[in-house]
Amino acid sequence: MNTFKNTISILLFLLGIQFGKAQNISVDEGYTPQDLVEDILINSTCANVFNVSVSGGNFATGEKSFGYFDGTGTTFPFQNGIILSTGKINNAPGPNSYLSDDGGNMGWNGDSDLNDALGLSNTFNATILEFDFIPLGNRISFDYIFSSEQYLSNPSSNQCNYTDGFAFLLKRNGETSYQNLAVVPNTNIPVKVNTVRGSGTICPPANQAYFDAFNDTNHPTNFNGQTKILKAESDVIPGETYHIKLVIADEGNYRFDSAIFLGGGSFNFGIDLGDDRLIATGNPLCPGETLTVDATQVGATGYQWFQNTNPISGATNPTYNITSAGEYTVNIFYGTTCSPPSETLKIEYAESLVINQNSFTECDADADQDGKTVFNLDNIKNLLFTNLPAGYVISFFEIPTNTTALPTSYTNTIPNNQIIYARIMNVQGCYSDYPVNLRVNTFDAVLVDETIGLCEDSILTLDAGSGFSTYEWNTIPPQFTQQITVNSGGIYEVTVTNVLNCPKTKTFTIEASGIATIENVAINDFQENNTATIEISSASLGDYEFSLDGVNYQDSNIFNNLNAGEYTVYVQDKKGCGIVFETFYILDFPKYFTPNGDGYNDTWFIKNLDKRNLENSVITVFDRYGKLLKQISGVSEGWNGTFNGNLLPSNDYWFEIKLTNGKSVKGHFTLKR
């Protein structure tokens, strides 16, 4: 850090001193303490200041740690004022090119009052400006900036708590303890490097709203950083004597100088007219309200009130009745030459709100239609008034005495009609709660969704029902009639509204269907469990059921445990688009035969082979020893139980059927005499 600043200093010197002077503050050590206070800090004919004293560093060169500064033409926030430093003020002008690090080994002490104010015991190099004054008004204030080399832009972690200390100590004559005015606004925290610091370094930020910047080289002062303009202020008693002590010192050791810049002419002996009345702070004046402000001061010879810096004609009394918004001040005259300005009193008025709509209706969106539904209270807030200012905050409550606000999405608790209350939350005292009526309309008619089949090449009429105010179908383009006709499957929705303008939707699911096409009957016969599987074309659209008698239908397309014989299968579309049928044959061999000449079951043969185009199949019969007894065709009359004209005995016999489809069936049967 030090090497960088020294290098930059040399470069800037080479560029020319005059350029540097044009950009940086200048300092002057020639002012007397009395001049610094009366002519620079206060600069008012109303000042009653005495016992002024200044103390600082005893530098061998005669240089001072206090004096006047001029910031005219620079970017420094103050045009001029007083500088109090822990080092030589001649090191304060920019650029920020080297480390100001004065006050070592010269017996320059700290200050016990500063130690007491900040809870310290190790201050060094204290510069002190103090004086007595008698205020004319009831308030004093002045502006200041705290600058320090300890605002390091790239500190190490052990440097985060390095800080110098300062205090603006005030006490009334006769009091024993001081009040420190150099505090973070609205707190009791003393302003120091580690209590007002910005983000961007490893050190934690603190109250950064009041921190200005870490400075680069091109800065009007030779300090690494500074606060924004802060205001020191206090109530006082007019006519009493006060002592103020402005003190800054190094803490811990003399290293890393700091300075206080006091704004020229900023020390005001004014009067506090009271708290601002603002919408943002919740205390504006109500519509039509008058605020009487009393600026009466002992010894005053005249008054002049101002609104927005303009004198108010005829407003020359100590009191003034405010009836419109603006910024108000009053000049109080003490003789012919003294008229200190007051603090500014800012006045805002709450709007006279005009109701736009206070009744809101929703339809019950629930299936149970109980008269309760969800209201979006944010939408209601935006519609409630015609002239709601942007800064107004509205919350809603179920009853006026409630303090817990309703959620944004609110379901009414009283069916059909309920009153809730809108409350302006950030403007207190001007508005009562506004009643808001929530109304819920219901749709009591019951709409039942339907699923309907539509046969191929057919037209279907869909009817949403009568008695509704409007109809809207989801067709392309939309249709707005009670009935529509359709010729294709799909989901058809119709939204109907009743006389209360509440909607409900009915869904028609149209399932395209058609008569079946039987592609094949897959037969598995000559089995213990003969089966037939009905195969339907993939182009068939319907949902089908199956029957072997045309009466009793099943969802399965498989029939089991079929005996040999002729069958007719019926395939019916469940949506009523028609029935198709087809005949098929189950083949099987007889398990026995009785060739006794009674004309019944006298031969053994396979029925219906010709019906399956298997009439050319070859059937061979054997005895138990494999002896060929008979070979017959699929269309023969069968075997009569003889061999070479001789009757064979009752017994089991074997066979083989070689079907023309390539299948071979083997088995045995019984001959019974």
Side-chain angles (χ1 to χ4, degrees), residues 440-455:
V440 181
N441 290 333
T442 58
F443 191 124
D444 297 324
V446 177
L447 301 184
V448 179
D449 295 340
E450 296 183 44
T451 299
I452 306 173
L454 175 64
C455 299

Side-chain angles (χ1 to χ4, degrees), residues 377-458:
L377 298 186
D378 271 349
N379 290 343
I380 291 176
K381 176 185 68 176
N382 294 332
L383 296 172
L384 189 56
F385 301 103
T386 61
N387 61 333
L388 183 70
Y392 280 27
V393 177
I394 297 178
S395 293
F396 295 89
F397 300 85
E398 283 192 333
I399 58 177
T401 56
N402 278 5
T403 56
T404 300
L406 298 177
T408 298
S409 295
Y410 171 67
T411 300
N412 57 302
T413 58
I414 300 174
N416 302 114
N417 282 286
Q418 181 173 351
I419 293 177
I420 61 173
Y421 296 87
R423 186 178 304 162
I424 310 297
M425 300 299 294
N426 61 329
V427 183
Q428 302 299 321
C430 290
Y431 306 107
S432 58
D433 290 349
Y434 294 85
V436 177
N437 185 49
L438 305 181
R439 179 181 302 156
V440 181
N441 290 333
T442 58
F443 191 124
D444 297 324
V446 177
L447 301 184
V448 179
D449 295 340
E450 296 183 44
T451 299
I452 306 173
L454 175 64
C455 299
E456 292 176 287
D457 302 322
S458 298

Side-chain angles (χ1 to χ4, degrees), residues 57 174 241 245 256 281 362 465 528 556 579 662:
T241 299
K245 182 176 185 178
F256 295 88
T281 54
E362 294 286 348
E528 288 295 325
S556 174
I579 300 174

